[in-house]
Every structure is written in structure tokens, then in C-alpha cells.
Amino acid sequence: MSGLARLGAFAHNTFREAVRDKLLYNLLLFAGLMIASSVVLAKLHVGYDERIYRDVGLAAIALFGTLIAIFVGINLLHREISLHTVYSMLAKPVQRYEFLLGKYLGLVGLLAVEISIMASFFLAVLWIKGSPPTAGLGWAIQLIFLELALVTAIAIFFSSFTTPYLAGMFTLALWIIGHLLGDIRAFGLQDGAEAYKPLTEFLYWCLPNLDRLDIKAEAADGKVIELARVGLSSLYAVLYSAALLVAGSFLFSRRDFR
Amino acid sequence: MSVIQARGLRKVFRTGFLMRTVEPVRGVDLDVREGEIFGFIGPNGAGKTTTIKMLTGLILPSSGEATIHGVPVPLPESRRGLGFMPEGTYFHDYLTGREFLDFHGRLLGVPRAMRERSIPELLQKVGLPHAGDLRIRRYSKGMRQRIGLAQALLGDPDLLILDEPMSGLDPIGRKDVRELILQLRDAGKTIFFTSHILADAELLCDQVAIILKGQIAHHGYLGELLGQEIEGVDLVVEQIDEALYERLKQEARRAVVQGTRYLFELPDEAHAEKALKLVLEAGGRVRSLSPRRRSLEDLLVSDLQADSATARSEGEVER
Ligand SMILES: Nc1ncnc2c1ncn2[C@@H]1O[C@H](COP(=O)(O)OP(=O)(O)O)[C@@H](O)[C@H]1O
Ligand SMILES: [Mg+2]
């Protein structure tokens, strides 16, 4: 019970630190501008209005969410270590994993609030333009949230044992590769590429498959999205995040705070 | 029973691109007993902070072991009943003093009602009664040091580990901290603190350990370490003539002329008595007469001299 209370205290403090940081508001402002720009873009492509509102809106939510997840996430953990604020916290009868998980939960809470703000803005644009929201858009936003939670887990995992610069690079690299995994697998399955198949299959099954969580294009097209697929993808994101946090906690517990 | 016990604590760091090894702590033994003020004294870079980080579980020892309240370090349970103030003043500066203490109180599991009661008291105790609602970002160095102390006192721990609690403070601040430490001892708490300033230890400590280059050079009660015998007597006089000056100089180990005053360092009480008589008979004026005891400073200086002497002779062997 007291472990949960400490987790809550860490999460609350992380959230509080983030909302007192100006960077966050700047990113949110840009996200708002990008969503609003869809109105102008739609004027340039007459006849595709709906598709453009949805495309640009979802893309803005995903892009700025990712920026916040990677940069705010890594920065907040790194600051605790480099500014030595961990000393007074971790020299208390707390487990180090409580700190790491609390940090993670605080960040995920932050993402939830941010995505809600951006999504409300997006819905407002759709409503003003008379374009009805669909269930698919809702699922797409849910999967964006889970993708960001997974990206945050990746960032926390790398930050648990390496420098913030490297953690940022690794996270960014996995984010890019994670979105290309579908293509990478398809490459290995081609005729004449048999030699690469073991490698591409290995990457496909082991690396975080962010491609799977990306249904933005289909949702923007207005296609019907199966519930089972959303459920399975969500489960995948949650389990993968949990595994990364367990591994990160293990590495973090052995770390020296010099 | 020892509140803190350490045996053979050692830490090896690998640093830089070439992974050079440095060994800031080389086998440290400590026994801090309940209810005493223990000074962990040594020059900068001697390994004090590294030792404390091992005791508080922030870094893992390369070898050796330690217990706090009988619980092996670094189990979280070993940090129960321990208040720690880290070196420097690195706290969450986006929080107000009150929020900061509330957050740390939550980490300790202090119930809300108790936090609401004890935080204003603590702010008062460390001399920040009006700064509770100010962000720590706006605090001066001395105020940060004080909020750090308040943080260590949360939850009423019976052991305090304070890393350089007096550094960076003005004379009033130092005196406040000294008084607070004595007050805590009187309330039955055990205090383990580090300092690179020997005078701090002489004023406060029951027991001291002097650490040099990662090893304990002296460890014991202040009285035992320094001895009770006097090392000499300093006599300061005025209004003496040339002849008497020359005469007194023969008695003294050293004589110094300071304007109209003369300082004689006399080797013992017998010499001092003789000199005093001579001065009074000749109608001179005695300004002061003070016995000189061995100080921690002398102890440390003689250690450091021995150390550099060995370093020199080792250098010669190499050549
Ligand atoms: N993370 C580290 N990496 C390499 N060397 C270190 C590290 N931390 C401390 N040292 C070295 O260890 C020695 C002891 O440092 P420290 O324990 O901070 O001394 P003190 O607290 O007594 O001033 C210093 O010479 C310092 O340079
Ligand atoms: Mg130090």
C-alpha cells in the first residue's frame, strides 16, 4: 500500500514538473496551429476537405505527442539525475523501481491530458466545418495514445542506463524503424531476398511494432475498423511497454548515482 | 550498539573514454554509536561524499559492507529512520518549500494530517518561517541549505546523515546549524556529518574519523585523539626592553615581534612560569597567556606532511 502511495507521489511530482515547464505549452500551441492549418489546406484541394481535416488533425496529434513523449520524457528523467535531485528522494526507504514507474505514470498521465486537449481541438475543427466524427477516428486516437505510452517506455528504458543524448538517439531510431517494420518484413518476403528473411523476420517480431498501432490513414479514409484489431494492438502495446519497464527497472536498480 | 557500521567499504570508479580506474574510497571502517555526534572530516576529494553515497544506497560498494540500524545497506529498510541531507543544494526548484517538504513527506509515508502539522514547524525550526510559499528557485544558497536540512528532519528520524551541512553558509548560518545539531543530539538523535573544516569538528563532535585519500587516518573520541596535555604556552607581553627580549628568547621555542607586542612560544608550563616572573619583575605588561593544545588541524597537517614526504621519497626511488 505505501509502495503505491510513493508511486503516486512520484507520478504527481513528475506531472507537476511538466506542467510548470514552458516547453509543453509551446508544443501544444504548435499542435493547435497545425490542426487549424488543415482548414487552409482544404481550401487548396477542393473536394478533399474531410480527408484533409482528418489527415492533418491525426498527424498533428501523433507528431506533437511523439515530440512530447521523447523530449519531455527523456529530459524529465535525466534532469533528476544530472541535477542531483534523485539523491534526497532515493536515499529514503523507497525502491528505485517505484521512482522509475512513478516517473513513467506521471508522463503517461501528461500525455493523456495533452492528447485530450489536442483531440478536443481537432473535434472542434471538425464540428465547425460540419464534418461528422467517426468511431474510427476515436480508435485511431486511442492507438496514438498507446503508441506514445510505448515510446515513453522505450525512452525510459534507454534513459535508465545511458546518457540522455544516446537515449534520445536510440528512441528516435526505434521510433523510425518501428514504423517501417511492415515494409521491412515485406522486403524479406520478396522473391530473391530469402537471404535476408531470417533477419527481417527477427526484427519484425522483436522490435516494437509501431506500424501496427498506426491506423491513421484508414481512419482518415473513413474505413470501418475492426474492434478485435484495436483490442489486439492495444494489448500488444501494453505488454511491450510493461516488458520495457521491467527491464528498465532492473538496469536502474544497479545504477550508481555519482 | 552501532547505528552505522561499515567494514572495508571500497569504491572503484571507471571514468572517461579510456575507463581509467580511480579508487576514491579504499577500505573504510566506521562505528557510529547511538546518541553521538560523529564528524567525518577530511579535505576536499578525500572520499567523504562517496562513502556517504554508499551508506545511503545511491552507489553500490565495490567491496565491503555496511549496516544501518543493523539492516544491511542498500536494502530500502536500512534507510528507515534515517534523514539525509545531500551535499550541495540540488532540490526540485520548481516547487515551493512547502510543496517540496510535502512531497518528501509523502515518500516517507508521513500521513497528510501529520505533514500539515509538522511542515510549518520544520520551516520554523530551520529559520524559513516566511519562505514556505516561495519557489526554491528563488532561494539563496543558505536558504536551500536550510530547506535541505528541513527535508532531512521530516518524519522525525533518529539518525541524521548530513553531507557538508555548513559549507556555503555565512557565520550566522554556521552557528544556527551548529546549534541545531547540538539540539538534535540533546533530543537523543545520532548525527553523522562531514566537513572539510576542522574547527567544525572540534566544536561539535564526540567522535571523529579523519579520512585522507580514501582511507581513515584517525578514528576515535576527540579527547583521545588530541590528548589532554598542553603542547606549549603562548605568552604575549608589552613594554619590555631589548635585554629582557633577548633573555626571554632563550626560554622560548620561537619569538615574534608584532609592533609593540612580543609573542613568545614557550615549550611548557615551567618555562612559562619562569618567563612570566621575569616580565613582571622587569615591570613589563602581560597581554595574554594561553596554553596551546594539540588541535585537529595539527593532526591533519602532520598527516599531510608525512604523506607528501612519502610521496617525495617514493619519487626518488623511482628516479
Ligand atoms: N563519479 C566519479 N567518477 C570518478 N571519480 C570520482 C567520481 N566521484 C568522485 N570521484 C573522485 O573521488 C574522489 C573523492 O570524491 P568525494 O567522495 O566527492 O570527496 P569529498 O566528499 O571528500 O570531497 C575525488 O577525487 C573525486 O574526483
Ligand atoms: Mg563531498
Side-chain angles (χ1 to χ4, degrees):
Chain A
M1 193 59 225
S2 58
L4 275 183
R6 291 193 292 268
L7 211 68
F10 282 129
H12 172 221
N13 198 50
T14 302
F15 187 84
R16 186 162 53 181
E17 176 172 11
V19 298
R20 288 183 184 181
D21 192 344
K22 284 193 197 72
L23 175 66
L24 190 68
Y25 299 98
N26 291 333
L27 288 175
L28 273 179
L29 182 72
F30 278 109
L33 286 176
M34 184 167 161
I35 295 171
S37 74
S38 65
V39 178
V40 181
L41 284 174
K43 289 216 160 62
L44 302 178
H45 298 266
V46 185
Y48 295 95
D49 307 27
E50 282 213 317
R51 170 84 216 228
I52 288 175
Y53 301 143
R54 292 172 181 171
D55 259 345
V56 176
L58 289 177
I61 295 175
L63 175 68
F64 287 94
T66 306
L67 290 178
I68 291 170
I70 297 184
F71 293 106
V72 177
I74 290 175
N75 190 32
L76 286 192
L77 183 59
H78 162 65
R79 275 216 319 229
E80 298 272 30
I81 296 168
S82 70
L83 300 182
H84 301 181
T85 46
V86 279
Y87 295 170
S88 59
M89 296 187 288
L90 295 186
K92 296 207 159 44
V94 305
Q95 298 278 5
R96 288 195 183 173
Y97 65 77
E98 291 166 353
F99 169 74
L100 203 73
L101 294 186
K103 209 90 221 149
Y104 178 73
L105 291 180
L107 290 170
V108 168
L110 179 75
L111 288 171
V113 170
E114 262 155 13
I115 288 187
S116 309
I117 293 172
M118 290 191 284
S120 317
F121 200 69
F122 174 46
L123 285 180
V125 168
L126 292 183
W127 184 73
I128 290 167
K129 288 287 155 189
S131 162
T134 62
L137 291 178
W139 294 128
I141 292 175
Q142 176 187 316
L143 288 185
I144 289 174
F145 171 65
L146 288 170
E147 174 185 335
L148 296 183
L150 176 51
V151 170
T152 305
I154 296 172
I156 292 262
F157 169 75
F158 284 122
S159 299
S160 71
F161 64 92
T162 184
T163 62
Y165 178 73
L166 286 180
M169 292 320 242
F170 290 153
T171 309
L172 212 56
L174 270 193
W175 181 75
I176 294 168
I177 296 171
H179 276 285
L180 296 176
L181 280 178
D183 295 337
I184 289 174
R185 187 181 196 203
F187 171 77
L189 293 176
Q190 278 173 351
D191 288 340
E194 284 82 7
Y196 295 104
K197 195 179 159 210
L199 177 67
T200 56
E201 288 292 301
F202 173 80
L203 293 177
Y204 181 79
W205 289 106
C206 290
L207 294 183
N209 192 343
L210 303 178
D211 199 24
R212 215 194 143 117
L213 301 172
D214 183 359
I215 56 170
K216 291 197 292 289
E218 289 146 280
D221 262 348
K223 289 197 181 120
V224 175
I225 288 158
E226 293 161 45
L227 251 179
R229 183 172 160 211
V230 174
L232 269 180
S233 297
S234 302
L235 188 66
Y236 172 82
V238 170
L239 290 180
Y240 207 117
S241 304
L244 283 170
L245 291 172
V246 169
S249 294
F250 177 74
L251 294 167
F252 194 65
S253 71
R254 307 164 66 91
R255 179 173 182 151
D256 275 345
F257 297 107
R258 303 190 177 182
Chain B
M1 196 193 88
S2 293
V3 179
I4 300 178
Q5 188 175 67
R7 290 292 173 265
L9 276 187
R10 205 169 63 87
K11 184 68 194 179
V12 181
F13 284 131
R14 293 182 179 281
T15 56
F17 183 67
L18 298 174
M19 300 303 260
R20 252 181 358 100
T21 59
V22 287
E23 196 175 340
V25 178
R26 314 166 174 226
V28 162
D29 295 348
L30 292 170
D31 282 285
V32 180
R33 260 153 267 175
E34 200 172 326
E36 66 183 20
I37 300 180
F38 190 111
F40 193 41
I41 312 295
N44 286 326
K48 303 180 295 292
T49 299
T50 306
T51 304
I52 282 191
K53 283 187 184 169
M54 288 193 269
L55 293 174
T56 50
L58 293 171
I59 61 179
L60 302 176
S62 304
S63 66
E65 49 205 43
T67 61
I68 298 182
H69 292 124
V71 183
V73 166
L75 291 180
E77 223 24 58
S78 69
R79 285 170 249 136
R80 199 165 292 287
L82 159 70
F84 170 51
M85 182 177 113
E87 183 180 20
T89 47
Y90 309 107
F91 305 116
H92 295 110
D93 61 6
Y94 51 90
L95 298 179
T96 67
R98 201 183 300 278
E99 287 170 338
F100 173 74
L101 294 179
D102 191 66
F103 168 51
H104 280 72
R106 279 172 76 188
L107 293 182
L108 286 170
V110 180
R112 177 191 294 267
M114 193 120 81
R115 295 201 302 270
E116 276 168 8
R117 191 152 33 82
S118 65
I119 288 172
E121 284 171 15
L122 277 175
L123 286 168
Q124 182 78 41
K125 193 167 192 165
V126 298
L128 292 174
H130 305 299
D133 294 318
L134 199 63
R135 293 231 178 141
I136 295 179
R137 182 170 299 140
R138 308 233 171 281
Y139 281 22
S140 68
K141 175 113 203 276
M143 291 165 81
R144 285 168 182 245
Q145 197 93 343
R146 287 163 192 263
I147 200 80
L149 257 175
Q151 172 273 134
L153 295 173
L154 277 165
D156 200 23
D158 52 49
L159 167 65
L160 287 149
I161 296 186
L162 312 174
D163 197 0
E164 301 277 358
M166 281 167 266
S167 83
L169 293 182
D170 58 19
I172 298 173
R174 304 176 79 81
K175 184 168 150 290
D176 285 352
V177 171
R178 269 202 304 272
E179 265 162 24
L180 186 62
I181 289 177
L182 289 170
Q183 213 179 310
L184 290 165
R185 199 259 316 263
D186 292 342
K189 314 220 177 278
T190 310
I191 295 117
F192 178 87
F193 79 95
T194 71
S195 177
H196 61 277
I197 295 169
L198 295 158
D200 291 342
E202 283 184 333
L203 282 169
L204 281 172
C205 295
D206 299 305
Q207 220 188 145
V208 293
I210 295 184
I211 180 169
L212 292 173
K213 295 191 173 170
Q215 284 174 321
I216 304 281
H218 298 279
H219 185 180
Y221 287 88
L222 215 48
E224 294 165 16
L225 277 182
L226 302 180
Q228 291 303 324
E229 299 143 57
I230 57 168
E231 294 235 301
V233 180
D234 288 352
L235 174 66
V236 180
V237 298
E238 270 178 352
Q239 297 175 9
I240 56 171
D241 58 21
E242 193 73 14
L244 183 55
Y245 173 73
E246 289 303 328
R247 173 75 190 80
L248 290 171
K249 215 171 151 183
Q250 285 168 14
E251 302 291 321
R253 270 201 297 239
R254 208 156 73 96
V256 183
V257 184
Q258 301 168 322
T260 62
R261 294 185 177 197
Y262 304 84
L263 163 72
F264 299 97
E265 277 183 30
L266 300 155
D268 54 37
E269 282 168 334
H271 281 81
E273 246 165 67
K274 198 162 153 194
L276 191 60
K277 218 161 123 200
L278 287 171
V279 174
L280 293 173
E281 278 168 3
R285 281 189 151 202
V286 177
R287 281 294 168 201
S288 78
L289 180 70
S290 46
R292 175 191 287 223
R293 291 212 161 74
R294 198 164 182 213
S295 71
L296 270 179
E297 189 115 21
D298 300 334
L299 201 64
L300 195 64
V301 166
S302 66
D303 276 330
L304 289 172
Q305 277 166 351
D307 200 62
S308 63
T310 20
R312 262 199 307 277
S313 61
E314 276 167 9
E316 277 163 19
V317 170
E318 255 173 42
R319 247 181 282 127

